[in-house]
Amino acid sequence: MGRAGRAAAGLALAAVVALVVTGCGGGGGGSKDDGKPSASATGQPATGGSSASASPSATPTQILAQLKGQDDVMVTISSVVRDKDGFVTVQGSITNNGSSSFDAVAWRGQETALVRSGPSVAGAVLVDEAGKKRYYVLRDTDGRCLCTMGLVGIRPKETRPFFAQFPAPPQATTEVEFDLPTMPPAKITISDAKG
């Protein structure tokens, strides 16, 4: 095959690759929306708003509460927001100040149904003492928590972001207690989403 033939074959191949890449992109059918909240594969909170406010930040801009537990692990809560869809999203960071790697297996909680969530903050609970009610982490249709999962191998001095979504308490309830297995409870104040 001559130089011109090879060039033509190369252009044809490039055109086919471009078509294949274009055909694979985008949203697409087949996804079922049953109206229930869902978490994306990256473990981001399910929200109806912009993704900028949904992504947990590894460096919190404010500290609403800090929980210091065994093995020198610290949980910092930087955001507790009630959205218009009836959810409360708690965001913050987990810092391993200890000398050995940390796995959040105990934070999943004792409930058998949450085994699928693996090492996570699935066992977190919001307690409304005034209303005498407890709010558990929401789950998707597969029984996995709407929270950060895969919290294994957190190295010494490493910080990771986390989030957990809960049903929202009544609008009048602005202060709740955040409980996480093996950690001391912390009082947190719920703020309303802007906009």
Side-chain angles (χ1 to χ4, degrees):
M1 183 183 296
R3 186 177 294 175
R6 283 195 296 271
L11 284 174
L13 179 60
V16 169
V17 169
L19 284 173
V20 169
V21 170
T22 302
C24 291
S31 118
K32 149 178 113 161
D33 182 11
D34 57 3
K36 295 184 181 174
S38 64
S40 70
T42 59
Q44 297 301 313
T47 61
S50 70
S51 60
S53 63
S55 299
S57 171
T59 54
T61 55
Q62 61 180 339
I63 296 175
L64 301 179
Q66 285 189 319
L67 296 73
K68 296 178 183 176
Q70 60 191 21
D71 302 321
D72 290 323
V73 173
M74 184 169 63
V75 174
T76 300
I77 298 173
S78 57
S79 172
V80 184
V81 178
R82 181 197 323 263
D83 66 30
K84 61 180 174 27
D85 297 322
F87 308 118
V88 168
T89 302
V90 176
Q91 296 184 37
S93 61
I94 300 159
T95 303
N96 182 358
N97 293 314
S99 57
S100 58
S101 185
F102 175 75
D103 297 336
V105 176
W107 291 358
R108 183 191 71 214
Q110 298 296 317
E111 197 177 337
T112 309
L114 289 171
V115 169
R116 287 181 165 198
S117 297
S120 63
V121 292
V125 177
L126 295 183
V127 180
D128 174 5
E129 292 177 343
K132 297 183 173 23
K133 196 159 182 188
R134 297 166 66 86
Y135 297 89
Y136 297 90
V137 174
L138 293 167
R139 301 173 198 173
D140 66 15
T141 54
D142 293 324
R144 292 183 184 87
C145 72
L146 294 188
C147 69
T148 302
M149 297 182 279
L151 293 174
V152 293
I154 303 175
R155 299 182 307 275
K157 309 308 175 205
E158 180 183 0
T159 297
R160 291 194 196 170
F162 85 93
F163 82 93
Q165 278 193 320
F166 303 86
Q171 195 72 31
T173 302
T174 57
E175 187 175 83
V176 292
E177 187 177 84
F178 180 82
D179 288 350
L180 188 63
T182 77
M183 301 291 276
K187 297 273 188 200
I188 53 177
T189 301
I190 302 171
S191 60
D192 291 326
K194 295 181 175 74

